[in-house]
Amino acid sequence: MRNSLFACGKGQAFTLEGLVAAVLMLMVAYFLFQSTLVISPLSGESVDAQLRQYGLDVLTALKNPDSPAKDTLENALRRLNATTPPVELFETIDHALPDNIQYNLEVWWFNNSTLNVYRLTDRTPTSDTVAVSTYVLIKNGEFVSDSPFRINGTGGAEGTIDSDYPVVLEVRMILWRV
C-alpha cells in the first residue's frame, strides 16, 4: 500500500512541475513580446518615407547659405527669369537623387495678397507622389529685374515697395518613383 501511495504522489509532482513550467514559459513569452517593439510598415508607407527623406535631404543641402556654388536654391531663385531655367540647380538635384526618382519643383508665394505658383519643372508624375517643402526668404531688390517673384508697385497703406521688402517663397518638391 505504501508503494501505491508513493507512486500516486510522484505522478502528481510531475504534473505540478509541468504546469509550473508551462506558466513560467507563458510569462517569459508575454514579457518578451511586451518589451519588444516590432514595426512592420507596409511597403507603400516605407517607400513614402524614403522618398520624403530624399526630398528633405536635397532641399536641406540646396539651402546651404555657406556654399560658394551658384547652384544653391537661394541663388537660383534670385537669378530666375521667365526665359532662363535654372539648369545648374536641376543638374545638382539630378546628381543628388537616385536614377529611379523623378521630381517636380514649384515655387509658391504671395504677391499683393494673391497666392501665385511658378512651376520650374512640369513632368508628369505617377499616382503615388510625396511632397516636401522648404521656405526661402529673399529681399525684393535681390531678384533680377524680370523675375516672376519680384513685387512691383505699391504696397497699399505702406506706400511703394522698396528693395528691402522680404519675399517669402515656399519651394515644393514633388517626388515619385519611375
Side-chain angles (χ1 to χ4, degrees):
M1 174 112 171
R2 184 175 175 155
N3 285 342
S4 67
L5 283 173
F6 182 67
C8 183
K10 196 174 187 182
Q12 287 176 345
F14 286 135
T15 304
L16 189 57
E17 278 181 18
L19 189 61
V20 169
V23 168
L24 187 61
M25 288 186 348
L26 284 174
M27 286 176 40
V28 167
Y30 174 76
F31 287 118
L32 181 68
F33 287 118
Q34 287 296 321
S35 65
T36 305
L37 179 63
V38 177
I39 298 175
S40 175
L42 299 172
S43 63
E45 292 173 357
S46 64
V47 168
D48 288 352
Q50 187 179 35
L51 282 175
R52 184 170 286 112
Q53 192 61 49
Y54 279 138
L56 289 172
D57 288 347
V58 168
L59 289 178
T60 301
L62 290 174
K63 277 190 70 170
N64 183 3
D66 298 328
S67 174
K70 298 293 183 191
D71 58 356
T72 63
L73 197 54
E74 207 169 297
N75 286 333
L77 294 174
R78 279 187 188 120
R79 295 179 297 139
L80 184 74
N81 59 29
T83 58
T84 309
V87 176
E88 295 166 337
L89 180 69
F90 296 151
E91 288 174 354
T92 302
I93 294 172
D94 290 338
H95 289 320
L97 289 175
D99 293 336
N100 64 338
I101 296 178
Q102 287 293 318
Y103 65 93
N104 275 331
L105 271 178
E106 300 175 345
V107 180
W108 294 71
W109 80 103
F110 277 101
N111 186 351
N112 296 330
S113 72
T114 303
L115 182 62
N116 298 293
V117 61
Y118 186 86
R119 288 177 175 75
L120 296 171
T121 59
D122 196 19
R123 299 179 181 117
T124 304
T126 62
S127 61
D128 191 21
T129 62
V130 172
V132 294
S133 66
T134 189
Y135 294 96
V136 178
L137 178 69
I138 301 175
K139 293 179 182 176
N140 194 41
E142 294 177 355
F143 293 114
V144 294
S145 61
D146 57 343
S147 172
F149 313 122
R150 188 175 182 89
I151 299 174
N152 297 319
T154 61
E158 298 89 26
T160 59
I161 296 176
D162 63 357
S163 61
D164 288 335
Y165 187 80
V167 179
V168 179
L169 306 170
E170 179 186 5
V171 180
R172 291 184 189 176
M173 179 181 275
I174 299 100
L175 301 137
W176 64 92
R177 290 195 186 271
V178 290

